[in-house]
Amino acid sequence: MTNKQFDYIVVGAGSAGCVMANRLSKNPANNVLVLEAGPLDKTPFIKIPGAFAYFMFSKKYNWGYESESVDDIRSGSPMFCPRGKTLGGSSAVNAMVYIRGHKSDYDHWQALGNEGWNFDELLPYFKNSETNQRGGDEFHGDSGPLYVSDVVNDYKVNDSFLAGAQQAGYPLTNDFNGHQFEGAGYYQFTIKDGERCGVSRAYLKPAMTRTNLQVECEASVQRIIFQGKKAVGVEYIQNGKRHSVYAAQEILICGGTFNSPQTLMLSGIGDKHELASHGIPLVQDLPGVGKNLQEHVDACVLTTSLKKDGFSIGPVGLGKMLPDIVKYIRTKKGKLANSITQVGAFLKSSPDVEVPDIQMHFVPLLFDDNGRDLRLLAGHGYSCHVCVLRPKSRGSVSLRSANPQDPVKIDFNFFSAEEDAKVLVNGIRVARKILATQAFDEYRDEEIHPGADAQSDEEILQKCKDRLGLVYHPVGTCKMGNDAMAVVDNELKVHGVENLRVIDASIMPTLTSGNTNAPTIAIAEKAAKMVLASQGKKVVSQLESVLA
Ligand SMILES: Cc1cc2nc3c(=O)[nH]c(=O)nc-3n(C[C@H](O)[C@H](O)[C@H](O)COP(=O)(O)OP(=O)(O)OC[C@H]3O[C@@H](n4cnc5c(N)ncnc54)[C@H](O)[C@@H]3O)c2cc1C
């Protein structure tokens, strides 16, 4: 492999990388190499939608990062930050909820100076990527690679959540991605015929028969090779051997919000002082690399249940699971054919808010610490998770050392903006209001968290911090823009250098109001079009110079 030349090198086969691989290799004239640090996505657990928890314990398919610890958050323990590490990236391990966010998220990106990124201009890319089970319409696609399906409700308590929301005075919606974003409803999922439809299945596998696409797994990119300010290749390690490969056109970094800034910094692109402190030679001073980290900070109301018809790994629950396993093996139907998060809501934390500022994920189990709290899981109950949709706090991702094997430092800096605490506490009050309705009377036993004794804002906030969670939606560390802290421009080209783009969730200047897989795929769809268009422009200018 050493010294081989391609047209494009895609670093990372995640939600964005697989889209790029497919769209760029569609033209047989383009030779495309994809380098993925993780192994092949061979395990059957990726296919089984109900096997989400498996990946929270996997070291093979999950980068398993941990944030920097903070004294009063989770009693000073670091927060677990899962990220997919295989073909499909995080879309191979995610909860498959299909959400685009609110129109105003994207209109805001454009208002920040990112021409072409408003909702109306992104909508065609969302639609192109999608085949919705309900068919195509003004909002939905009917012939894209990503299959989006309705849930088959498995748990009666989910209906109580919707009835409770209505009884508490909130609207219902039957399509969060259509006319009515606000309300409570069933989510749609990237699941097809009872199996996960991640980007590997949707985009990469169908393209892998093309002879102009080469995919290398367990190939960990160490740095980008520059000639002056021009990115010309990358260096990676596979099976202990170091390789250098070169790109005639462009290098596309799709490593995700934690790894893309790491790759840039290790290659000499970042804050000059930070790079100097690690002895990394400077290529381009870009102080915004790794800054602007945003995540949906999450807290929950945990209630034990009088009825034992939810999910549990206790003896009763495990006994009930066996027939489901058999049913899934035989028919690809039943509880294992669905995500465990089936209902949710986008609501306003207080009446003066214009656009819903909290999202709820309601689950029929006692769920904390990414499902890793097994004692809790052995009980019977339900959890209403509430997250702050558009947090104001900004964190950072920074290098621990110049060694690419060292995980980055992740500092979320949660609640550095006080408004986030207010929204979260109000959100917990909204959740409690729904859970206190008559719809839950047959289920409600005891609120074990935050617990009846947490009533004041201060008490609720501290309890939220004790079990603080993430919705696994980190974004923003290579933000798009044209201010001093921007990393890429509105064509996702890295400022100050040539032939290098970042294309993944890290480019979002601000976090979208909801789950981030669909937005990342739409970003990549748009980026692919821009990359191909600029190739066309290069050919024209080369022809012009030959003819001149
Ligand atoms: C547990 C979990 C649950 C989630 N649930 C949902 C959900 O239900 N709905 C939703 O919309 N979103 C969900 N998300 C978020 C969503 O999946 C991500 O926002 C999205 O996949 C991010 O895409 P990406 O392309 O930015 O990064 P990723 O998909 O993470 O891809 C990055 C890829 O690059 C590879 N890589 C990184 N560094 C290197 C390197 N140096 N060399 C080679 N390869 C490298 C990685 O291994 C990975 O495959 C969830 C995420 C997680 C982790």
Side-chain angles (χ1 to χ4, degrees):
M1 176 65 60
T2 300
N3 290 334
K4 217 168 158 188
Q5 169 133 338
F6 295 82
D7 293 307
Y8 296 100
I9 298 175
V10 178
V11 176
S15 296
C18 289
V19 176
M20 298 310 294
N22 181 311
R23 297 308 191 199
L24 297 183
S25 64
K26 202 168 173 189
N27 178 349
N30 290 332
N31 272 317
V32 180
L33 172 67
V34 178
L35 298 170
E36 166 55 46
L40 274 171
D41 51 346
K42 257 190 178 161
T43 165
F45 291 110
I46 289 180
K47 288 187 179 164
I48 306 171
F52 173 81
Y54 167 82
F55 295 100
M56 297 306 111
F57 298 92
S58 167
K59 289 202 161 66
K60 187 171 174 185
Y61 297 105
N62 187 346
W63 289 86
Y65 289 124
E66 290 191 328
S67 71
E68 296 301 289
S69 50
V70 176
D71 285 348
D72 70 341
I73 291 183
R74 297 196 76 92
S75 314
S77 302
M79 295 178 79
F80 184 62
C81 308
R83 292 282 97 196
K85 186 181 185 184
T86 181
L87 296 182
S90 296
S91 84
V93 304
N94 72 12
M96 298 154 287
V97 177
Y98 183 82
I99 288 289
R100 295 171 179 177
H102 192 266
K103 179 181 188 303
S104 59
D105 298 329
Y106 305 97
D107 293 347
H108 178 60
W109 290 2
Q110 166 118 352
L112 290 171
N114 298 300
E115 196 53 46
W117 288 87
N118 60 51
F119 181 73
D120 290 343
E121 287 183 76
L122 268 171
L123 183 58
Y125 298 102
F126 279 113
K127 288 174 74 172
N128 280 352
S129 67
E130 179 194 25
T131 292
N132 199 295
Q133 181 190 336
R134 300 179 190 176
D137 64 16
E138 175 191 354
F139 287 101
H140 293 287
D142 59 6
S143 51
L146 196 67
Y147 195 80
V148 177
S149 59
D150 284 315
V151 71
V152 181
N153 179 23
D154 293 319
Y155 298 95
K156 230 179 122 258
V157 69
N158 287 335
D159 292 330
S160 298
F161 179 76
L162 298 191
Q166 217 172 9
Q167 286 167 16
Y170 299 104
L172 298 185
T173 177
N174 77 347
D175 185 3
F176 294 116
N177 302 302
H179 282 286
Q180 193 189 327
F181 173 72
E182 182 173 0
Y186 280 99
Y187 287 121
Q188 284 201 298
F189 294 90
T190 47
I191 296 176
K192 187 175 185 206
D193 301 330
E195 291 185 347
R196 175 189 294 275
C197 186
V199 288
S200 172
R201 178 179 176 194
Y203 282 90
L204 191 64
K205 296 282 160 61
M208 276 172 80
T209 50
R210 297 174 187 160
T211 51
N212 60 326
L213 173 65
Q214 184 170 334
V215 179
E216 294 291 327
C217 286
E218 297 182 59
S220 173
V221 170
Q222 310 291 293
R223 67 177 189 101
I224 304 156
I225 303 166
F226 281 94
Q227 270 171 9
K229 298 265 185 189
K230 188 170 166 186
V232 293
V234 301
E235 212 174 88
Y236 70 95
I237 292 182
Q238 190 181 41
N239 297 326
K241 274 198 186 149
R242 197 170 284 271
H243 303 265
S244 301
V245 277
Y246 295 88
Q249 295 281 351
E250 292 192 56
I251 291 156
L252 310 166
I253 306 293
C254 308
T257 294
F258 299 139
N259 292 37
S260 286
Q262 181 187 31
T263 301
L264 291 187
M265 289 188 275
L266 290 171
S267 311
I269 302 179
D271 180 289
K272 62 179 177 191
H273 305 293
E274 195 180 331
L275 299 188
S277 72
H278 295 296
I280 299 171
L282 186 72
V283 173
Q284 178 66 31
D285 180 23
L286 281 184
V289 176
K291 307 296 190 299
N292 192 46
L293 173 65
Q294 294 156 64
E295 165 68 283
H296 285 138
V297 63
D298 176 276
C300 56
V301 180
L302 304 176
T303 314
T304 53
S305 173
L306 298 171
K307 294 178 92 172
K308 298 193 168 155
D309 57 1
F311 176 90
S312 157
I313 57 163
V316 178
L318 285 178
K320 280 190 184 161
M321 221 185 280
L322 280 175
D324 281 315
I325 295 173
V326 175
K327 186 173 178 184
Y328 185 77
I329 293 169
R330 286 199 179 139
T331 65
K332 297 264 164 63
K333 292 197 165 74
K335 288 180 180 152
L336 288 176
N338 285 312
S339 173
I340 192 72
T341 310
Q342 301 181 352
V343 279
F346 290 91
L347 301 174
K348 295 172 180 168
S349 66
S350 67
D352 53 321
V353 170
E354 255 179 56
V355 174
D357 58 347
I358 49 170
Q359 180 179 5
M360 291 180 182
H361 292 89
F362 179 83
V363 283
L365 68 159
L366 294 171
F367 184 91
D368 178 42
D369 191 17
N370 315 274
R372 298 189 309 164
D373 188 334
L374 299 181
R375 261 186 337 154
L376 211 52
L377 269 185
H380 289 271
Y382 42 94
S383 317
C384 187
H385 281 257
V386 179
C387 73
V388 178
L389 279 178
R390 292 178 298 282
K392 301 273 184 303
S393 304
R394 298 288 183 263
S396 65
V397 165
S398 54
L399 292 180
R400 214 169 280 282
S401 77
N403 179 355
Q405 269 52 260
D406 266 352
V408 285
K409 273 193 201 171
I410 301 168
D411 180 1
F412 287 112
N413 205 16
F414 286 138
F415 307 118
S416 52
E418 277 177 27
E419 302 97 293
D420 296 348
K422 191 165 165 250
V423 174
L424 195 60
V425 168
N426 287 344
I428 290 291
R429 292 192 195 284
V430 174
R432 276 177 162 173
K433 192 170 155 191
I434 294 172
L435 301 177
T437 54
Q438 182 237 322
F440 278 96
D441 284 355
E442 58 178 325
Y443 283 99
R444 190 183 316 104
D445 183 16
E446 186 194 350
E447 183 187 296
I448 54 169
H449 180 84
D453 53 348
Q455 292 302 334
S456 70
D457 285 1
E458 294 70 29
E459 286 162 351
I460 296 173
L461 180 61
Q462 189 49 55
K463 287 285 183 178
C464 287
K465 287 183 176 177
D466 291 347
R467 284 192 189 272
L468 202 71
L470 314 167
V471 200
Y472 327 118
H473 299 156
V475 306
T477 51
C478 297
K479 86 163 180 176
M480 167 171 65
N482 41 35
D483 59 292
M485 296 303 278
V487 176
V488 297
D489 66 14
N490 68 340
E491 293 187 30
L492 310 189
K493 292 177 177 164
V494 176
H495 286 297
V497 296
E498 285 170 58
N499 291 5
L500 183 66
R501 299 191 211 221
V502 179
I503 301 165
D504 57 28
S506 72
I507 68 92
M508 296 188 196
T510 51
L511 188 45
T512 51
S513 306
N515 314 67
T516 44
N517 191 40
T520 307
I521 291 169
I523 286 168
E525 286 277 10
K526 183 171 166 70
K529 202 164 171 199
M530 293 189 297
V531 171
L532 291 169
S534 82
Q535 183 187 30
K537 278 185 214 150
K538 271 188 200 167
V539 172
V540 170
S541 77
Q542 276 161 6
L543 268 177
E544 279 171 354
S545 62
V546 170
L547 295 173

